[in-house]
């Protein structure tokens, strides 16, 4: 283990997700440090792994029974070398400092890859919106923003959604920000269309992950047409991943949530996807209800006693993990290879464990890490910020075509950086190197701040 990794672990021993994210980057950017000794001299690794600012705060709110509840709020302002902090808010009971620091760290590299000027941040709370009434969610969001508003702004830090934070939560958060700051500005992205949102923002992460897969396949003169795909999750990213795969002629056979997964051998077509969108976004139901309507599908409960996830153990060509971190372990990766999967495009952040990634790379799969494959979401958030600044809204076709161009450019940057540093075809190394060099050079230009 490198000295820098050892000192990061010694300093914050409990932060295993953060350590995992940092270690992956440190391992892959070694050739960059070897070629540029001035980087080591300037202690760039020590600087880039330490957040510029961490804000933690109490979020008290009252539930529908009149009982006071207390959650913890966070915002990690990781790096502002190339632009204001940008990154989502996650509301999920598992949220802690380690998870948000890993997400903020990854966000720095991802945002650098998008070609837009955005630094990296991430935030959220251990609040669980599941099972809460709209009024409870509103009171929580208002209390959360009552503290967060003093730390963010359209040119300072611009949060967005993530797990558990969709259009409803962004609306409540924005309303409170506007009231407290007395300003109508583009301080959050993922807003509804009627009041500053961008067309294609809800679709962008899923569509982008599919465009990235299409780019990888094109390097082998192939495409998604006729391919069978495994998708996990059934939230925002999963839904629009499925939508784009269908549009490009592929077939999706799985979806999941934290309770279990469905396998539909005939494929999830447009009308089935519409059902899932209504089920998840309006009814806020569970994916198990899919089989009540489509009895040809099979539902399997999540089983934590297994050392693998059966969702990844079906015959397929491509996999799009779109739920959460570390959802593919080594055994899952081996099952994917055994079942013929050749393409992995990560819609989720860090969904594959390090030894799962080793399996992908050793078997020469086309493997796109989340920080490249799912960058479409933050890229269109950047486009939402641009539209807000101009007080304009671009048509759907324009935003979609910009998204396509950005995903193409990210794909090319990964390939070029990987080739330049002697690991051709390794998208993970390419993404880390391209993002790292851009951010580090900006940090060095700006002096020791
Ligand atoms: P949503 O909240 O819309 O959906 C999350 C989905 O993943 C749900 O189906 C949820 O199931 C499932 N899930 C969440 N946690 C777990 C868990 N611990 N175990 C099993 N399933 C789980 O979130 P998004 O679709 O927005 O985000 C999905 C992933 O994509 C995350 O990793 C996020 O960081 C990443 N991402 C999202 C972007 C965006 O624009 N939204 C941008 C870039 C990356 P359940 O309902 O049961 O919790």
């Amino acid at each position: 283990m490198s000295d820098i990794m050892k000192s990061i672990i010694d300093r914050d021993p409990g932060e295993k997700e953060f350590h995992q994210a940092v270690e992956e980057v440190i391992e892959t950017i070694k050739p960059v440090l070897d070629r540029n000794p001035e980087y080591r001299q300037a202690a760039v690794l020590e600087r880039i792994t330490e957040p510029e600012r961490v804000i933690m705060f109490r979020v008290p709110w009252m539930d529908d029974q009149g009982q006071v509840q207390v959650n913890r709020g966070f915002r990690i302002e990781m790096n502002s070398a190339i632009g204001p902090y940008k990154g989502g808010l996650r509301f999920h009971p598992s949220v802690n400092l380690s998870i948000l620091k890993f997400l903020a760290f990854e966000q720095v590299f991802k945002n650098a890859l998008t070609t837009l000027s955005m630094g990296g941040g991430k935030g959220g709370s251990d609040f669980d919106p599941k099972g809460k009434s709209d009024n409870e969610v509103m009171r929580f969001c208002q209390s959360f923003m009552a503290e967060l508003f003093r730390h963010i702004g359209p040119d300072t830090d611009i949060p967005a959604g993530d797990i558990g934070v969709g259009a409803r939560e962004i609306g409540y958060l924005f309303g409170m920000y506007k009231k407290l700051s007395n300003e109508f500005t583009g301080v959050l992205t993922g807003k509804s269309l009627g009041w500053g949102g961008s067309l294609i923002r809800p679709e962008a992460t899923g569509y982008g992950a599919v465009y990235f897969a299409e780019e990888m396949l094109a390097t082998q003169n192939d495409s998604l047409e006729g391919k069978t795909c495994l998708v996990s999750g059934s939230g925002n990213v999963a839904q629009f991943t499925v939508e784009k795969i269908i549009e490009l002629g592929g077939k999706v056979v799985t979806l999941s949530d934290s309770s279990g997964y469905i396998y539909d051998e005939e494929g999830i077509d447009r009308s089935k996807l519409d059902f899932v969108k209504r089920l998840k976004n309006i009814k806020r139901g569970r994916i198990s209800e899919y089989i009540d309507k489509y009895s040809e599908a099979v539902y399997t409960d999540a089983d934590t006693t297994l050392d693998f996830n059966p969702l990844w153990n079906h015959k397929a060509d491509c996999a799009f993990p779109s739920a959460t971190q570390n959802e593919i372990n080594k055994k899952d990766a081996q099952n994917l290879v055994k079942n013929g999967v050749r393409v992995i495009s990560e819609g989720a952040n860090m969904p594959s464990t390090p030894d799962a990634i080793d399996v992908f790379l050793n078997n020469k799969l086309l493997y796109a890490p989340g920080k490249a494959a799912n960058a479409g979401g933050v890229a269109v958030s950047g486009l939402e910020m641009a539209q807000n600044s101009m007080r304009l809204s671009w048509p759907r076709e324009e935003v979609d075509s910009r998204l396509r161009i950005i995903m193409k450019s990210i794909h090319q940057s990964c390939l070029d950086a990987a080739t330049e540093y002697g690991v051709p075809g390794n998208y993970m190394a390419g993404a880390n190197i391209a993002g790292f060099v851009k951010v580090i050079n900006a940090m060095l230009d700006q002096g020791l701040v």
Side-chain angles (χ1 to χ4, degrees), residues 186-242:
V187 70
L188 289 158
T189 57
K191 301 184 289 297
S192 289
L193 276 180
W195 46 275
S198 174
L199 284 158
I200 302 288
R201 176 60 190 92
E203 293 88 338
T205 308
Y207 279 18
V210 179
Y211 290 151
F212 202 97
E214 191 79 338
E215 288 294 325
M216 292 197 291
L217 282 163
T219 63
Q220 304 191 344
N221 297 319
D222 203 348
S223 76
L224 276 163
E225 171 99 49
K227 299 282 187 295
T228 299
C229 303
L230 307 175
V231 177
S232 63
S234 50
N236 170 268
V237 178
Q239 291 170 17
F240 290 105
T241 295
V242 176

Side-chain angles (χ1 to χ4, degrees), residues 90 130 162-164 201 205 234-237 258 286 322-323 349:
R90 176 176 292 191
K130 233 178 281 157
D162 190 74
I163 291 177
R201 176 60 190 92
T205 308
S234 50
N236 170 268
V237 178
S258 51
R286 307 304 294 159
S322 309
N349 285 308

Side-chain angles (χ1 to χ4, degrees), residues 282-345:
I282 297 167
K283 220 180 130 210
R284 298 189 186 273
R286 307 304 294 159
I287 200 67
S288 57
E289 294 166 55
Y290 184 96
I291 56 161
D292 300 339
K293 173 115 171 120
Y294 304 109
S295 55
E296 64 276 23
V298 180
Y299 173 73
T300 307
D301 271 323
D303 181 353
T304 48
T305 63
L306 293 176
D307 63 351
F308 68 102
N309 180 349
L311 186 155
W312 305 121
N313 199 15
H314 292 278
K315 285 255 163 293
D317 306 293
C318 309
F320 293 84
S322 309
T324 193
Q325 64 272 2
N326 292 330
E327 53 169 316
I328 298 182
N329 64 21
K330 183 176 180 184
K331 182 104 182 266
D332 296 319
Q334 289 165 337
N335 284 337
L336 286 165
V337 171
K338 186 187 74 192
N339 280 294
V341 168
R342 287 172 41 220
V343 175
I344 315 277
S345 187

